[in-house]
Amino acid sequence: MMQKKPFVTKEQIEEIVKTYPTPFHIYDEKGIRENAKKLKQAFSWNPGYKEFFAVKATPNPFLIDILRDYGCGCDCSSMTELMLAEAMGVKGEDIMFSSNDTPAEEFAYAAKIGATINLDDITHIDFLEKILGKLPETLSCRYNPGGVFKISNSIMDNPGDAKYGFTTEQMFEGFRILKEKGVKHFGIHAFLASNTVTNAYYPMLAKELFELAVELKEQTGADIRFINLSGGIGIPYRPDQEANDIYEIADGVKHAYEEILIPAGMGDVAIYTELGRFMMGPYGHLVTKVIHEKHTHKEYLGCDACAVNLMRPAMYGAYHHITVLGKENEPCDHKYDVTGSLCENNDKFAIDRMLPEVEVGDYLAIHDTGAHGFSMGYNYNGKLRSAELLLKENGEVQLIRRAETPKDYFATFDCFDIYNKFDWNA
């Protein structure tokens, strides 16, 4: 079994908690930069290539700014994410707006700031036209072929059960309608499988989208400017999983590009990606302190973090590796359920997990929380979301989001005059 090593040590955490108490999410700047550089290099064969970071994965401007150093744009899915990107100075052409069941005001705002709109449904064509009066010159459509997505005999995901995208027939009809309504330039987008740990996913997806693009051009005359492979490249959450090789993935996409698009006279089509998990996931830890032990029908470790800090194990039964800091080299010969304090029995970071013997006061690093970790937080039981910290390349630690306080929680109750019943300066 491979070993997953944390990017922080017990000694570092003991120093950090003197200023920032647990729990908190901490991110590794060095790892983020090295990964972004590799992605850019891997797809450098395509002159128009651009990564639009999936903001929903980790909506923190400090982290997004790191990615912008490598030419990354923003993939937004809501009004607030659009506002965040604009406030950071991201230009309209560097924003992709991929949403579904979209309110009118969000489409209007996306158009106002010049974002590229990625339509999720054929009915949104008329909906968008009514909002804007005139459709933008460039639009993208999200494709869902239905059925299951397979690589060899392995089912990767089930697009037929997904709520997203145009059917194959609707793509052709939609492109014709958009052309008639004055749209000049087109994009194609698809997300057919989530968190794939295989180098074959993107090349297979690319082949399917490239073939579709050629048919769309031939049958509708559409000027297809970009093909967006979206996300789906996963990370190895488990120690026995091998990480994806982004260079091999990009080479596979290049091979399909040269085999399908270039002979069709489409060698100028830009390749876009919208990666979130791959960009940030491995470079975040949720650090929590063990504050209780419970010896009943099982052995429980009670932490100061809970599912509001990391929802994935409770929501999906997802595996996140756990390192007991300072005990990395000790045998994992004790079985525990690692729990939080929510009044929900599924509030468990791990079930029957083999760890070294743990004592109250030990610090746990929960791995791979850099994407869909903090961002999925919530306030159930009146719990407050934690701080986010950045471990900088020079070893310094920077606060990039403060922890919530009760004052934040009660601020939205001002219509009931509850907020003013507390002395927040006490």
Side-chain angles (χ1 to χ4, degrees), residues 1-18:
M1 180 177 288
M2 295 173 60
Q3 187 176 6
K4 289 180 79 74
K5 297 181 179 179
F7 56 78
V8 288
T9 65
K10 178 184 178 182
E11 291 72 25
Q12 285 176 301
I13 294 303
E14 287 176 335
E15 192 61 32
I16 291 168
V17 297
K18 293 176 182 178

Side-chain angles (χ1 to χ4, degrees), residues 159-303:
D161 280 345
K163 66 177 181 175
Y164 309 108
F166 290 56
T167 67
T168 303
E169 295 76 14
Q170 288 172 345
M171 287 292 287
F172 287 88
E173 182 184 356
F175 270 45
R176 291 189 183 99
I177 294 170
L178 289 169
K179 277 198 73 181
E180 291 171 1
K181 291 181 178 293
V183 174
K184 297 180 179 179
H185 312 299
F186 293 79
I188 302 172
H189 172 287
F191 180 85
L192 302 187
S194 178
N195 192 38
T196 62
V197 189
T198 168
N199 296 325
Y201 169 62
Y202 250 19
M204 286 284 291
L205 173 64
K207 183 177 185 295
E208 186 162 340
L209 294 186
F210 294 167
E211 290 172 346
L212 175 66
V214 171
E215 290 185 39
L216 283 166
K217 180 187 176 184
E218 290 175 349
Q219 295 189 31
T220 70
D223 175 28
I224 298 173
R225 291 291 180 91
F226 64 85
I227 294 174
N228 191 333
L229 302 177
S230 188
I233 298 179
I235 61 174
Y237 284 100
R238 295 178 178 273
D240 57 353
Q241 291 178 309
E242 187 175 346
N244 286 318
D245 183 337
I246 196 61
Y247 292 104
E248 184 177 333
I249 290 170
D251 283 346
V253 175
K254 180 183 180 183
H255 179 76
Y257 191 98
E258 292 173 343
E259 184 181 75
I260 299 166
L261 290 183
I262 290 179
M266 300 176 70
D268 59 347
V269 172
I271 299 300
Y272 293 165
T273 56
E274 291 175 352
L275 299 168
R277 196 188 315 261
F278 179 80
M279 299 303 292
M280 288 285 182
Y283 313 109
H285 294 331
L286 172 60
V287 178
T288 180
K289 185 178 182 178
V290 177
I291 58 175
H292 292 288
E293 291 178 293
K294 186 173 184 178
H295 315 286
T296 55
H297 305 290
K298 302 182 77 173
E299 294 294 303
Y300 293 97
L301 300 175
C303 303

Side-chain angles (χ1 to χ4, degrees), residues 91-165:
K91 296 179 181 178
E93 63 268 23
D94 290 338
I95 302 173
M96 185 72 61
F97 183 51
S98 298
S99 59
N100 66 95
D101 288 333
T102 311
E105 59 270 21
E106 297 193 7
F107 272 140
Y109 189 80
K112 176 184 174 184
I113 65 175
T116 300
I117 294 173
N118 183 33
L119 294 176
D120 181 64
D121 186 71
I122 195 168
T123 64
H124 292 177
I125 296 173
D126 288 341
F127 186 70
L128 184 63
E129 187 178 36
K130 289 176 183 177
I131 296 163
L132 303 182
K134 181 182 178 181
L135 293 176
E137 288 192 354
T138 300
L139 277 174
S140 176
C141 294
R142 182 168 183 167
Y143 175 55
N144 183 339
V148 296
F149 187 83
K150 289 184 177 181
I151 296 177
S152 297
N153 292 321
S154 299
I155 295 175
M156 304 305 295
D157 219 320
N158 190 353
D161 280 345
K163 66 177 181 175
Y164 309 108

Side-chain angles (χ1 to χ4, degrees), residues 43-58:
F43 281 94
S44 61
W45 56 266
N46 182 260
Y49 172 74
K50 193 171 192 68
E51 156 65 10
F52 291 83
F53 173 65
V55 174
K56 59 182 169 288
T58 322

Side-chain angles (χ1 to χ4, degrees), residues 320-351:
H320 281 263
H321 198 66
I322 297 175
T323 295
V324 184
L325 294 175
K327 298 182 178 180
E328 291 86 346
N329 298 320
E330 295 185 15
C332 294
D333 53 6
H334 286 63
K335 185 186 292 187
Y336 299 103
D337 280 14
V338 183
T339 74
S341 59
L342 286 187
C343 293
E344 290 288 342
N345 196 45
N346 67 353
D347 181 22
K348 297 178 180 179
F349 296 116
I351 298 173

